[in-house]
Amino acid sequence: MRHLSFLASSSRLLALALLLSLCACAAPKPASAESFAFDTILRASVYAASGDATPEALAAGALRIADGLEPLLSAHAQGAEIATANEKREALLSQESAALLREALRLFDESGGAFDPRLGALSALWDFKSASPSLPDPARIEALLRDARGSKIELAGKRLTLGGETMQIDLGAIAKGYAADRMRAWLLENGASCALLELGGSIVTIGERPGGGPWRIAVASPFAQGEIAGVLRVEEGFLSTSSGAQRGFTLEGERYHHILDPETGWPARSGLASVTVVAPNGVLADALSTAFFVLGQERALELLRARFPGVEAVFIREDGGTLCTKEGLFEAS
Ligand code: ADP
Ligand code: MG
């Protein structure tokens, strides 16, 4: 675990985080711990606990859960279970990876294919983390896309078989949501009664906000770094933001971001700049924020109404307009 206390200036954190809790000034200070995993800063803040464990121990323990998941779920990290399966094309997965992959395949169906866990080779080709980015060869995009879309992920129990030749599993769009779910469950089991988990674009609130009233979570502006697009007021719950500003590069005035359209293999251009989803669990919030971003506001609204009645969303369009599915949930700045 790499501790990041050196990054603890609040303006720097605001610039990095897509969602950020705004706490009441009068609230008691939580025990907080930070680490770095899934390419982002993770923070656990524990305000109150009823069991034997101290808030400090709970915050540190929650982060250990997330740190332990990366070696399982990363598509690329050397030795990670999914990365190894991608290389060998056949694998016997752990119970945990198999269960999450099964959920990913279900969400692929439920999202009409907008959330697609088969895009790992394309994401690697685009290399959005490169210090000197360049556009991939369109013919290569086309070839990888054809193989990804034409290939099956077969999961029989824990036995995984990958079809195709180049297709790679990538659970990056749900890994943080899953880590958030696991951390929350662990915290509740161990006596935390009021806590906040921040994992880049995924947030979980546990218990009532210290000081009373709903939790206030700021959504980062996709247009200006360090600025806030608005504030969500939520009870206990799970939130996830997917944003075109989060990761990517700009070439000749054109933005190329890390959320790919599974129909084209290119960054999704759906008229959205950012989507925030409030859902009954972290995996669903994370998967749907990615899927909604791909689909665009109108198709995402149709899907939400047809299949996800318990889910709310805030859309921030490239034209600067916003739409929230529930009155009183989001206040634009
Ligand atoms: P972040 O991980 O930055 O919070 P997301 O949850 O939206 O953002 O996930 C984006 C990541 O998911 C990408 O970095 C890539 O690994 C993967 N990905 C990109 N496009 C898709 C897609 N259409 N469906 C599923 N996963 C995707
Ligand atoms: Mg996601």
Side-chain angles (χ1 to χ4, degrees):
M1 188 193 310
R2 211 165 96 208
H3 286 277
L4 286 170
S5 47
F6 62 92
L7 268 181
S9 120
S10 59
S11 62
R12 173 87 173 120
L13 282 177
L14 182 57
L16 291 170
L18 292 174
L19 288 169
L20 195 86
S21 117
L22 304 171
C23 260
C25 299
K29 257 181 113 41
S32 281
E34 288 178 4
S35 74
F36 191 86
F38 302 107
D39 273 332
T40 196
I41 297 170
L42 314 183
R43 190 197 296 147
S45 305
V46 179
Y47 290 86
S50 56
D52 294 338
T54 63
E56 286 75 14
L58 289 171
L63 288 177
R64 275 197 298 278
I65 300 277
D67 289 337
L69 288 173
E70 199 173 26
L72 230 55
L73 305 178
S74 169
H76 312 292
Q78 187 87 30
E81 214 176 301
I82 295 295
T84 307
N86 277 337
E87 197 187 316
K88 302 237 183 319
R89 316 304 290 170
E90 269 199 1
L92 192 62
L93 296 179
S94 64
Q95 188 70 42
E96 184 156 31
S97 299
L100 185 62
L101 182 56
R102 191 159 285 115
E103 181 65 2
L105 297 174
R106 196 182 67 79
L107 288 163
F108 167 76
D109 288 338
E110 288 264 293
S111 70
F115 164 82
D116 191 335
R118 301 173 299 179
L119 305 180
L122 281 157
S123 286
L125 175 71
W126 276 96
D127 194 10
F128 293 105
K129 290 180 216 163
S130 165
S132 50
S134 59
L135 281 188
D137 172 7
R140 186 77 187 131
I141 295 178
E142 192 55 43
L144 292 181
L145 183 67
R146 206 173 316 118
D147 193 51
R149 286 170 67 82
S151 299
K152 275 218 167 84
I153 296 174
E154 278 179 43
L155 190 59
K158 294 186 281 181
R159 167 73 54 196
L160 171 69
T161 311
L162 300 188
E165 285 171 8
T166 54
M167 183 269 284
Q168 304 253 300
I169 295 175
D170 177 6
L171 300 179
I174 53 170
K176 278 178 281 171
Y178 178 68
D181 286 340
R182 285 283 320 279
M183 290 163 83
R184 175 179 182 270
W186 185 88
L187 280 172
L188 291 177
E189 264 166 41
N190 288 279
S193 51
C194 178
L196 178 78
L197 302 173
E198 296 162 280
L199 300 84
S202 290
I203 278 202
V204 180
T205 59
I206 298 173
E208 277 182 20
R209 179 200 191 212
W215 294 85
R216 295 171 61 233
I217 310 292
V219 179
S221 166
F223 307 116
Q225 221 189 19
E227 286 185 18
I228 284 173
V231 176
L232 284 149
R233 285 185 166 71
V234 291
E235 306 301 331
E236 190 161 8
F238 303 83
L239 298 91
S240 170
T241 293
S242 287
S243 165
Q246 170 71 353
R247 172 167 298 147
F249 54 84
T250 302
L251 275 183
E252 294 174 7
E254 192 77 29
R255 174 85 186 152
Y256 300 92
H257 58 68
H258 71 316
I259 302 172
L260 299 178
D261 185 336
E263 288 187 0
T264 66
W266 286 71
R269 300 239 182 281
S270 64
L272 290 174
S274 131
V275 185
T276 299
V277 170
V278 185
N281 65 68
V283 167
L284 189 61
D286 203 354
L288 287 185
S289 67
T290 307
F292 287 176
F293 190 100
V294 168
L295 291 170
Q297 182 176 292
E298 292 318 308
R299 289 168 69 203
L301 280 172
E302 275 169 33
L303 183 70
L304 184 150
R305 287 185 187 127
R307 296 211 185 141
F308 301 100
V311 167
E312 306 292 347
V314 177
F315 301 95
I316 303 179
R317 295 189 301 273
E318 273 170 352
D319 66 13
T322 61
L323 184 138
C324 178
T325 53
K326 187 179 174 191
E327 214 181 301
L329 177 65
F330 179 73
E331 193 180 321
S333 299

